[in-house]
Amino acid sequence: MSGAIEPQNPTLPGAGFSVSHQKVELDIDLLARRLKGKTEIVINPHSKELRNVRLNCRQCDIKRITANGRACPNFVYEEPYSKTTLPWEAGVHQHHMLRKKIEAQLKTPPEEELVINFPKSVRIDDLDPFSIEASAVAGARSSVGLKDDNVGELPSARTAIEPDRRYTPVTVLIEFTTSQIRDGMQFVGWEDDDLRYPHAYTKSFSAPGGACCLFPCVDNSTARCTWEISIKSPKTIGDAVSSPQSSAINGLGGLTNGVYKEPELFQSSMNAEDSALELAVICTGDLTDEVDDHAALGRKTSIFSCGIPLSAQQIGFAIGPFEHVNLAEFREGVEDDKLGQNAVPLHGFCLPGRIEEVRNTCLLMAKAIDFFTLEYGSYPFWNYKLCFVDDAFPESVHTGFLTICSNNLLFPADVIEPLERVSRHMVHALASQWMGVSVIPKEPNDTWVVVGIAYFMTDAFLRKLFGKNDYGYRQKQAADLVVDLDVGRPSIYDTGPLVGFDPFEAEFLELKAPLVLSILDRRFTKTGSTSGLSRIISRVFLNAKVGDLANGAISTSYFARMCEKLGHAKLESFFAQWVYGAGCPRFQVTQKFNKKKNVVDLLITQKQSEQSERDLEKETFMRDVKEEEHSVYAGPLQPVFTGPMTICIHEADGSPYEHLIEIKEAQTRVEILYNTKYKRLKRSKRQKERIATAGGVEYNPDGNDDVLLYCLGDVLQSEEEMQQWQLAEWPKETEEEMNQEAYEWIRVDSNFEWICRTTMSMPGYMFLSQLQQDKDVVAQLESVQFMANQKEHPLISTILLRTLMDTRYFHGIRTTAAAALVKHAKEGDMGWLGLFHLEKAFQHFFCYDASPIPQPNDFSDRAAYVIKCAIPRTVAKVRDGRGRSPIRARMFLLDKLKFNDNSDNEFSDSHYLSTLMEALAEAMASKPPPGQDMDADFSFDENDGDDIRFHNACLEELDRYRRTDEWLPSYHNILSRTALNCTRILSSAGVIDDNPSHLIQYSRDGTADGLRINAFSNLFEMGLAKNDAVLRWFLFALATDPSPYFREHAFRLLGKILGSYAIGQPSDSSTTHEHEGLIIEQEEASTETRKADLARRTTVHGALAALKDELQANETLKRGLWTAIASPVLSLPELRQLLDICRLLYGPETKMVIKLCYPRYWRCRRVGRAKLQFSTTDRVRTRPMPKRALLPLPPPPPTPTPLHPPAPLPSPSLASGTKIKKEDSGGSEFMPPPPPMARKPLFKPLRRPSEGEHGSAKPSPVRETPAAAEGEKPKLKIKLKIGPKPGLGEGK
């Protein structure tokens, strides 16, 4: 593999060359899915001894290679896709033999496939460092620092170049063709039965081996050069179909992935309007020219130029009938004036009919790019393009100038559910142009820097767009998730090389890396000496632009030095703990006020998240297996995390007093001096006000020294409201304790400078004060989480209800409070109080007065919409003492679903209906249907409405929305997908009968990919993976479906199937018998069985052993896997996944099974004119013929003395095709020729002999010569005889 263009950072040690420029010309036949092209690569040798170069090249047929115009016939090319099958009848046990053939391409990084040997006529000479040619080479080198207008300062003619640039460059020209594009490009809509708009685009090249599928190159992220790309394509869809190039392959017709395709049939399926749609080419770089091809009518050539060095993996293009959307029109006038010439052009491209969705989805992109330009520096390219296509996976592919996005990201203006998720995804795609395309990681371990900065920039913009509450809420949720996941995990520095193993590795890196940078940013801003991390990031981009950052590749050490230099702080311990180390701290904090010293005593105890034995899960089984195979170990566990921490003490008047402490040990004891005159006067005044109100006297606070700060959660305070809502108050004893406290509450890490979990030993009323008075949404969330962990109590339910009812809270706090109410929705002492509060809150906000019938939907208030979805979701989780949903909860959900009215709502209610449907199915699944409940303690009462009619009404309502979605499809078919989920939930619980055919019909070809995946997932959740027909159909779909989106999710689903087999189901190891009141438990399983069951649930080795036992004899899986491996659709990474699965399940068997056909009996027919016709019959011989004893040769006759010396004769030969038959009266066995002997000439005029001459001997069989067998003439028939000639020696 060649080196990078920067001498300081070669691609591989000893590569011997670098690439400064590459020109690519592609002529693409869209219908036939083939291309022909040529590429010109300018190679800069690093030594005069360079005699060959190694390039990546796949699925190409090399036609010609030249170096500096001289032919290079001695090149070596090994095409990996031609070696993806075994040339004999093999099976899954020969997986290792197939893997060995392509092992070089499955490595990381893969080996180069093309080796070009330079002829002797190609000379590499020293280059004058002051020549004009040397200046041009140096100019190509300095292209890293080009300005926005693409005009850089080229070195003068007297400027010396670098040591590795002192040799003359070599220009390599490669001409190639690709008869079948299997990988690298995705073609959509070109099949006869596909009604989507035809288009094509490049796939993700995030890993080596993707870009080289389209053209030879150095397929490495660090090998960057300038580019010129020329793409020849049809002008319209009609031209693509009627083009002579698309009419046939090998003169017969299109052959795509082994499927014959008639262009005429495809053309007849389109109307004239679709055929006239113009095909646009969207590509990396700037469009410099677009000309018509005069040699081929209906074709055009689009030329793109990129003067900024990029790697081959960052080149992408799309061809299709795209419509253009000018996204710059959403830029506000003020921002446009502020940016001036630095305003970046924004372009959106989509398929016909989706312009409005693009406008709605990309509404914030202009604001985002302006924010990044002002905050972090100018945009690294000249324009930014977004192209939306079908079947794309991943959902966005980041290339230079261009992001290829999936149409799944688009959503119309009336759908509000995916707003936050899609907005973050789109903004991150834009941020990746700065960090990810322009700046790349130097090594795989440095991936965390690129990922972290890109998401840090994204979150910074979303904080400005959605507000600080949304930002803080999501940061806190992400931190809690990291604390749970970062147990036994490698560090984020070591996670970089693991990104390609499993999707979880990348997701974990995307979760923790930006959090680490956010706490670093807070530590910078805490000192006030810098503007935070934004200044450091902008300096990184500036250094990359001017060329100080070699090759635009950033390393962890470089980033750490920049942070220390510009942040004026020593960060060695920070990077050692959070970057090179793993895990997160857990703090246990105890607090006590010392009245004698007037100090607050704090004891902070730190404990690390130690790895504990955990049960395996089917969702993560394949990840655990891969980590076990690749020896992925946990990162170094820190003995103690150190750093500054902010302690904040809040008084009754709301004044916070911050104290900065330093955590250096596992236990830190702190004494904080505290003086205050307030003795929780707020509480006493509240009590006085309530007493005065109850007595009918107006309370006048004038003249009192009480300090009162009205706070959040002060709703439902009157006596009447408290009675109606069944609210509770603090007991008198607790009120007295509250009045004795010297402060309201204490917060540890109030500035969110740690990724940790803190357990604070404070009374509940202090957490209530924190919930009601602290304006920080993180503090509010911590308080609600504390309330959710408390034992059920009417007072806790009251606090949560008031939090839910107060609309001033952030909607995330309110939904968390609603979810916590389920713990208080219990019978007995609680009397279903939590359920009552949930029903009452929903009735108050969304129903008519004193009626459970909901009002028409109005989703104009997004916070209200979120609450409306959260309450039914919580009601569905309410259970009684037997774990069943009460009838009132199910009736509540049915009424909301049945009487839903969306007629006057401007927004779609598909996601809201989906929430209600899943909630109702979850509640129904907790209870057997009427007539099947065998619980002796349950007394069925039809008076409460829980009868078979209610049960059928629920099922009918669920099915009604499924049928509606078939006629009026919802957004991404969410109602149909939810209906399938409900079917699986109810079927698994035994509420309805299993009906797999109902789900299988949604797995057919032509169904939307998301719906197909959902159908297969529910089938396997119902245990139908053991059904041979379903498994066979799934493996066939996985191997033949052209959509990479479907195949990726199918592979993940296959991993879950294997996980379910490996882990198994919980086994009941004991049987309980009852005899005269005595319960006897009898152990049935042996100790070995219990150990094996425990091992398969807790260890990877035990699970793999169980998996082999379960599937070793499954012939359907064997045939399905091997058929999928032989599929011409799968790419090499997908093939590697299947081979890995075979390696896990089946032992290798090195053998070659050869099939030999049984011999058939021949039929001989005489056709006349001395001709015999031989033909085979259907009858076969399965047993060998018995051997016959050979007859002894007769003694040779006496040799007469010849009168004249005979002429020499050639001895008969078996190799000539003539068989020799010994004729005598004893039989007609085939014998080898006897030793040569002197005899007279054998060739005489043929005549029919008389019977007396030969006795009973038969003539020998006639054999044709090889020439005669091929139909040539003449045919010579020869009869050879061995023995004395008749009459010889008789005196005749």
Side-chain angles (χ1 to χ4, degrees):
M1 186 175 294
S2 70
I5 64 172
E6 300 290 346
Q8 299 95 331
N9 182 27
T11 306
L12 282 178
F17 70 95
S18 59
V19 178
S20 61
H21 181 75
Q22 183 165 357
K23 181 179 179 181
V24 179
E25 297 181 10
L26 299 177
D27 187 355
I28 303 177
D29 190 345
L30 295 173
L31 184 62
R33 302 190 185 186
R34 63 178 181 179
L35 64 84
K36 65 178 180 179
K38 62 181 179 179
T39 180
E40 187 178 283
I41 306 175
V42 179
I43 292 176
N44 300 115
H46 292 176
S47 67
K48 296 178 64 174
E49 289 74 21
L50 181 69
R51 301 313 303 165
N52 60 69
V53 294
R54 305 176 68 90
L55 301 175
N56 298 98
C57 182
R58 296 182 180 180
Q59 70 182 11
C60 297
D61 184 12
I62 305 298
K63 297 299 183 182
R64 186 169 69 96
I65 299 179
T66 63
N68 287 344
R70 293 172 174 83
C72 301
N74 297 326
F75 64 88
V76 179
Y77 177 49
E78 296 183 0
E79 206 285 300
Y81 283 100
S82 62
K83 300 183 293 183
T84 55
T85 57
L86 295 177
W88 64 85
E89 185 175 349
V92 290
H93 292 283
Q94 286 75 51
H95 58 82
H96 64 293
M97 304 177 69
L98 178 58
R99 190 184 188 93
K100 186 177 180 180
K101 295 179 62 177
I102 57 176
E103 185 67 30
Q105 280 66 44
L106 299 183
K107 297 179 181 178
T108 305
E111 295 183 2
E112 298 82 356
E113 297 84 6
L114 177 61
V115 180
I116 303 175
N117 298 308
F118 294 155
K120 295 182 179 180
S121 57
V122 176
R123 298 181 57 186
I124 301 176
D125 299 325
D126 292 330
L127 191 64
D128 184 5
F130 303 102
S131 64
I132 298 178
E133 186 178 4
S135 300
V137 175
R141 162 67 176 241
S142 64
S143 61
V144 177
L146 292 180
K147 301 292 187 289
D148 287 343
D149 54 359
N150 198 24
V151 178
E153 296 181 0
L154 298 179
S156 63
R158 305 300 300 173
T159 303
I161 62 175
E162 294 81 351
D164 65 332
R165 301 292 177 137
R166 61 173 179 260
Y167 305 106
T168 55
V170 178
T171 301
V172 176
L173 178 64
I174 305 174
E175 296 181 2
F176 59 93
T177 61
T178 302
S179 59
Q180 179 182 352
I181 300 179
R182 177 171 175 175
D183 198 6
M185 283 191 68
Q186 177 64 22
F187 297 84
V188 181
W190 297 99
E191 288 80 9
D192 299 335
D193 56 348
D194 196 342
L195 301 181
R196 294 175 293 181
Y197 286 101
H199 59 285
Y201 55 90
T202 54
K203 295 181 182 179
S204 173
F205 298 155
S206 57
C212 63
C213 291
L214 299 181
F215 51 87
C217 61
V218 180
D219 200 348
N220 193 328
S221 61
T222 57
R224 314 180 85 182
C225 64
T226 57
W227 293 82
E228 182 179 347
I229 303 172
S230 175
I231 300 177
K232 183 182 293 186
S233 62
K235 298 175 63 175
T236 64
I237 296 180
D239 294 334
V241 176
S242 61
S243 173
Q245 296 187 5
S246 298
S247 61
I249 291 181
N250 297 328
L252 296 177
L255 186 62
T256 301
N257 294 333
V259 180
Y260 180 76
K261 180 190 302 182
E262 287 286 355
E264 294 78 6
L265 296 178
F266 181 80
Q267 187 176 13
S268 63
S269 63
M270 295 188 303
N271 53 37
E273 183 179 357
D274 292 339
S275 299
L277 291 175
E278 184 176 355
L279 295 177
V281 180
I282 318 299
C283 182
T284 296
D286 192 21
L287 179 63
T288 58
D289 197 6
E290 187 172 273
V291 295
D292 293 340
D293 190 354
H294 301 289
L297 297 179
R299 298 183 70 81
K300 63 180 180 180
T301 302
S302 303
I303 303 175
F304 299 85
S305 177
C306 178
I308 299 177
L310 296 173
S311 66
Q313 299 175 4
Q314 296 170 341
I315 302 298
F317 60 87
I319 306 173
F322 300 116
E323 297 180 346
H324 175 255
V325 181
N326 183 16
L327 300 177
E329 65 184 11
F330 297 108
R331 181 177 284 121
E332 298 178 359
V334 178
E335 298 292 337
D336 203 0
D337 297 339
K338 186 184 300 184
L339 292 170
Q341 296 182 354
N342 291 328
V344 181
L346 286 170
H347 307 282
F349 298 92
C350 64
L351 296 174
R354 314 202 72 166
I355 288 183
E356 293 303 322
E357 294 183 10
V358 173
R359 291 178 181 272
N360 182 72
T361 305
C362 303
L363 182 65
L364 48 81
M365 297 303 290
K367 184 182 290 295
I369 200 170
D370 294 342
F371 173 83
F372 290 154
T373 301
L374 296 175
E375 187 74 14
Y376 303 107
S378 60
Y379 181 64
F381 306 108
W382 309 304
N383 56 63
Y384 182 56
K385 294 168 283 190
L386 288 161
C387 185
F388 293 89
V389 296
D390 288 329
D391 294 346
F393 188 88
E395 290 186 327
S396 60
V397 178
H398 311 303
T399 65
F401 298 80
L402 169 67
T403 300
I404 300 177
C405 303
S406 171
N407 277 332
N408 292 333
L409 295 173
L410 296 177
F411 63 98
D414 62 342
V415 177
I416 61 177
E417 185 72 21
L419 176 63
E420 287 90 352
R421 181 187 66 85
V422 173
S423 297
R424 189 169 191 262
H425 190 98
M426 299 303 300
V427 175
H428 173 260
L430 176 60
S432 297
Q433 295 292 310
W434 272 271
M435 184 60 69
V437 178
S438 177
V439 179
I440 59 175
K442 185 176 181 180
E443 300 291 342
N445 295 90
D446 304 318
T447 305
W448 79 271
V449 182
V450 174
V451 173
I453 292 179
Y455 276 101
F456 179 84
M457 296 169 60
T458 302
D459 294 336
F461 172 73
L462 294 180
R463 176 174 54 187
K464 179 182 178 181
L465 182 68
F466 294 142
K468 294 183 179 180
N469 284 341
D470 181 87
Y471 173 78
Y473 178 77
R474 298 187 184 279
Q475 288 285 99
K476 175 60 177 174
Q477 284 188 321
D480 292 341
L481 185 57
V482 167
V483 173
D484 294 333
L485 295 178
D486 198 4
V487 179
R489 300 284 314 155
S491 64
I492 58 176
Y493 180 80
D494 295 328
T495 304
L498 309 178
V499 169
F501 286 173
D502 191 80
F504 173 80
E505 311 294 345
E507 294 170 0
F508 178 77
L509 198 62
E510 294 169 359
L511 184 67
K512 185 176 180 180
L515 276 177
V516 172
L517 295 182
S518 67
I519 64 174
L520 178 61
D521 176 66
R522 291 187 181 93
R523 295 191 182 185
F524 282 149
T525 56
K526 184 69 176 178
T527 60
S529 58
T530 65
S531 58
L533 199 60
S534 300
R535 178 189 174 192
I536 300 172
I537 295 175
S538 61
R539 178 62 66 89
V540 170
F541 293 146
L542 179 61
N543 292 347
K545 194 175 186 64
V546 300
D548 292 342
L549 190 62
N551 201 33
I554 189 172
S555 64
T556 302
S557 58
Y558 176 87
F559 180 69
R561 290 196 303 269
M562 291 290 296
C563 291
E564 290 182 344
K565 179 180 178 180
L566 300 179
H568 308 290
K570 294 295 183 180
L571 300 174
E572 183 178 355
S573 62
F574 179 87
F575 277 83
Q577 296 168 12
W578 298 104
V579 177
Y580 299 105
C584 297
R586 300 171 185 262
F587 293 107
Q588 179 72 35
V589 183
T590 58
Q591 56 83 31
K592 184 179 180 181
F593 180 68
N594 192 330
K595 296 182 180 180
K596 294 182 180 180
K597 297 182 180 181
N598 284 334
V599 296
V600 178
D601 290 330
L602 287 178
L603 179 60
I604 304 176
T605 304
Q606 182 179 161
K607 184 180 180 182
Q608 309 306 328
S609 302
E610 298 180 356
Q611 184 176 7
S612 58
E613 194 79 12
R614 66 178 181 89
D615 291 342
L616 298 177
E617 300 177 358
K618 62 181 180 181
E619 290 80 8
T620 60
F621 171 72
M622 291 303 298
R623 170 171 64 89
D624 295 331
V625 171
K626 294 176 183 177
E627 291 180 351
E628 183 75 17
E629 286 188 344
H630 293 87
S631 301
V632 178
Y633 301 110
L637 191 63
Q638 302 297 315
V640 60
F641 282 81
T642 61
M645 178 177 289
T646 303
I647 308 296
C648 190
I649 302 177
H650 291 260
E651 291 192 348
D653 61 350
S655 301
Y657 291 89
E658 292 187 352
H659 302 269
L660 187 63
I661 65 173
E662 191 74 19
I663 303 295
K664 298 181 179 180
E665 299 176 353
Q667 278 194 350
T668 304
R669 187 177 297 274
V670 182
E671 291 185 352
I672 301 175
L673 185 63
Y674 180 76
N675 293 311
T676 180
K677 64 178 180 179
Y678 301 110
K679 298 294 184 180
R680 299 188 61 87
L681 299 180
K682 188 192 82 167
R683 293 292 177 188
S684 61
K685 185 175 180 181
R686 283 284 183 82
Q687 188 176 8
K688 295 176 184 177
E689 185 180 20
R690 189 177 297 112
I691 295 174
T693 303
V697 180
E698 182 179 358
Y699 176 71
N700 183 14
D702 295 340
N704 297 305
D705 57 354
D706 295 344
V707 177
L708 175 64
L709 178 66
Y710 284 102
C711 54
L712 300 173
D714 56 355
V715 296
L716 306 178
Q717 294 288 339
S718 66
E719 295 294 337
E720 181 181 359
E721 290 175 332
M722 293 185 64
Q723 292 179 1
Q724 291 179 354
W725 291 78
Q726 300 181 16
L727 304 182
E729 274 295 339
W730 293 98
K732 184 177 180 180
E733 296 79 6
T734 307
E735 289 278 359
E736 294 178 355
E737 293 179 8
M738 296 165 55
N739 294 333
Q740 298 299 322
E741 296 291 346
Y743 43 83
E744 290 288 325
W745 75 95
I746 297 179
R747 279 197 67 197
V748 176
D749 188 27
S750 58
N751 288 336
F752 203 175
E753 303 170 36
W754 293 70
I755 305 175
C756 63
R757 177 162 295 163
T758 304
T759 303
M760 190 74 181
S761 60
M762 285 195 312
Y765 51 78
M766 287 191 175
F767 279 102
L768 176 61
S769 299
Q770 177 177 316
L771 174 63
Q772 294 180 340
Q773 298 182 50
D774 203 321
K775 298 179 181 179
D776 188 2
V777 70
V778 177
Q780 298 169 6
L781 183 58
E782 290 175 350
S783 299
V784 175
Q785 289 174 346
F786 171 82
M787 300 293 178
N789 293 329
Q790 302 305 305
K791 188 179 180 180
E792 59 272 11
H793 193 277
L795 182 59
I796 304 297
S797 183
T798 299
I799 295 173
L800 296 175
L801 173 65
R802 284 174 172 165
T803 305
L804 172 62
M805 297 299 296
D806 194 341
T807 57
R808 294 171 295 177
Y809 279 110
F810 177 66
H811 64 78
I813 304 299
R814 299 173 64 193
T815 55
T816 306
L821 278 171
V822 68
K823 193 172 184 178
H824 308 274
K826 295 183 178 180
E827 55 185 348
D829 296 339
M830 293 298 296
W832 303 110
L833 181 61
L835 179 58
F836 170 76
H837 285 165
L838 290 169
E839 294 172 339
K840 188 76 172 176
F842 193 94
Q843 195 274 334
H844 174 81
F845 284 123
F846 310 112
C847 296
Y848 292 103
D849 294 339
S851 173
I853 304 302
Q855 296 178 353
N857 295 329
D858 182 12
F859 297 159
S860 57
D861 185 355
R862 182 170 179 81
Y865 165 76
V866 174
I867 299 300
K868 193 172 186 178
C869 293
I871 294 178
R873 197 179 295 118
T874 306
V875 171
K877 300 180 182 300
V878 176
R879 297 292 184 268
D880 57 15
R882 293 165 297 175
R884 298 174 176 178
S885 175
I887 179 61
R888 58 186 288 190
R890 284 176 281 143
M891 293 185 68
F892 170 86
L893 296 172
L894 178 61
D895 291 341
K896 304 308 175 286
L897 185 63
K898 186 176 182 179
F899 298 106
N900 177 70
D901 184 6
N902 203 60
S903 57
D904 297 332
N905 189 17
E906 60 177 331
F907 298 100
S908 171
D909 63 343
S910 57
H911 286 85
Y912 173 65
L913 289 174
S914 173
T915 301
L916 291 177
M917 292 171 65
E918 286 192 345
L920 180 59
E922 183 180 356
M924 293 179 61
S926 65
K927 178 185 178 300
Q932 299 183 13
D933 193 351
M934 304 304 296
D935 192 346
D937 296 334
F938 176 70
S939 58
F940 179 70
D941 186 6
E942 296 186 357
N943 295 329
D944 63 0
D946 191 7
D947 53 11
I948 192 64
R949 289 174 297 178
F950 172 79
H951 175 79
N952 292 335
C954 294
L955 298 179
E956 175 62 27
E957 202 63 28
L958 294 174
D959 193 62
R960 180 171 70 92
Y961 284 105
R962 181 193 62 81
R963 297 193 306 268
T964 302
D965 195 51
E966 293 180 355
W967 293 97
L968 298 174
S970 58
Y971 175 74
H972 288 179
N973 303 105
I974 185 172
L975 294 183
S976 295
R977 290 157 58 187
T978 305
L980 298 185
N981 293 339
C982 295
T983 301
R984 183 252 308 164
I985 293 173
L986 297 176
S987 177
S988 300
V991 177
I992 60 176
D993 296 332
D994 291 340
N995 187 11
S997 60
H998 178 68
L999 297 176
I1000 291 177
Q1001 64 178 342
Y1002 288 94
S1003 66
R1004 297 177 299 180
D1005 291 334
T1007 310
D1009 288 343
L1011 195 55
R1012 290 187 72 193
I1013 289 294
N1014 184 273
F1016 277 120
S1017 177
N1018 285 296
L1019 282 171
F1020 296 138
E1021 288 288 342
M1022 296 168 60
L1024 289 177
K1026 298 180 179 180
N1027 185 290
D1028 291 343
V1030 175
L1031 182 61
R1032 187 184 306 112
W1033 166 233
F1034 170 73
L1035 293 175
F1036 174 81
L1038 179 145
T1040 59
D1041 196 280
S1043 171
Y1045 174 85
F1046 175 85
R1047 294 202 304 270
E1048 175 63 27
H1049 287 83
F1051 272 104
R1052 297 183 183 183
L1053 189 56
L1054 179 59
K1056 291 177 61 176
I1057 295 174
L1058 298 179
S1060 62
Y1061 273 108
I1063 300 172
Q1065 300 294 332
S1067 60
D1068 188 9
S1069 60
S1070 62
T1071 305
T1072 303
H1073 305 279
E1074 183 174 358
H1075 177 68
E1076 297 182 357
L1078 179 64
I1079 298 178
I1080 303 174
E1081 292 187 358
Q1082 179 180 355
E1083 295 288 340
E1084 293 182 352
S1086 63
T1087 304
E1088 291 75 11
T1089 304
R1090 292 196 301 270
K1091 287 182 178 180
D1093 185 70
L1094 179 62
R1096 73 185 301 181
R1097 297 181 181 280
T1098 56
T1099 64
V1100 174
H1101 294 290
L1104 288 178
L1107 180 63
K1108 292 180 180 180
D1109 294 339
E1110 291 279 350
L1111 299 178
Q1112 191 72 30
N1114 193 324
E1115 296 296 331
T1116 301
L1117 181 62
K1118 290 182 179 181
R1119 290 191 297 267
L1121 285 176
W1122 195 250
T1123 303
I1125 288 174
S1127 170
V1129 179
L1130 302 183
S1131 62
L1132 280 183
E1134 294 169 333
L1135 181 61
R1136 175 172 52 189
Q1137 293 187 56
L1138 291 178
L1139 291 177
D1140 290 341
I1141 292 175
C1142 292
R1143 188 179 70 248
L1144 295 178
L1145 297 179
Y1146 310 108
E1149 295 180 5
T1150 305
K1151 64 180 181 179
M1152 179 185 298
V1153 179
I1154 300 177
K1155 219 182 235 189
L1156 298 178
C1157 296
Y1158 284 122
R1160 295 180 179 272
Y1161 286 92
W1162 287 76
R1163 178 187 298 110
C1164 179
R1165 186 173 65 89
R1166 183 175 179 180
V1167 296
R1169 301 178 63 87
K1171 293 182 180 180
L1172 299 177
Q1173 183 179 16
F1174 294 89
S1175 61
T1176 59
T1177 64
D1178 294 335
R1179 183 184 173 192
V1180 296
R1181 182 163 57 86
T1182 60
R1183 289 183 297 180
M1185 294 285 292
K1187 294 184 179 181
R1188 300 181 182 179
L1190 299 178
L1191 297 178
L1193 291 175
T1199 305
T1201 303
L1203 298 177
H1204 302 283
L1209 289 177
S1211 60
S1213 175
L1214 292 177
S1216 64
T1218 303
K1219 292 193 175 181
I1220 301 174
K1221 180 179 179 182
K1222 176 179 179 297
E1223 295 188 2
D1224 55 16
S1225 59
S1228 60
E1229 291 292 334
F1230 285 89
M1231 300 294 294
M1237 56 186 176
R1239 54 183 176 267
K1240 289 187 176 182
L1242 299 178
F1243 298 105
K1244 287 188 176 182
L1246 297 177
R1247 62 184 179 86
R1248 183 178 297 275
S1250 61
E1251 296 181 359
E1253 294 180 348
H1254 300 288
S1256 60
K1258 298 182 180 179
S1260 62
V1262 178
R1263 303 288 294 179
E1264 294 183 351
T1265 63
E1270 297 177 3
E1272 299 179 0
K1273 61 182 183 179
K1275 297 181 179 179
L1276 180 62
K1277 301 179 181 180
I1278 303 174
K1279 180 188 294 184
L1280 299 181
K1281 299 182 180 179
I1282 299 177
K1285 184 178 179 181
L1288 185 61
E1290 296 180 0
K1292 293 183 180 180

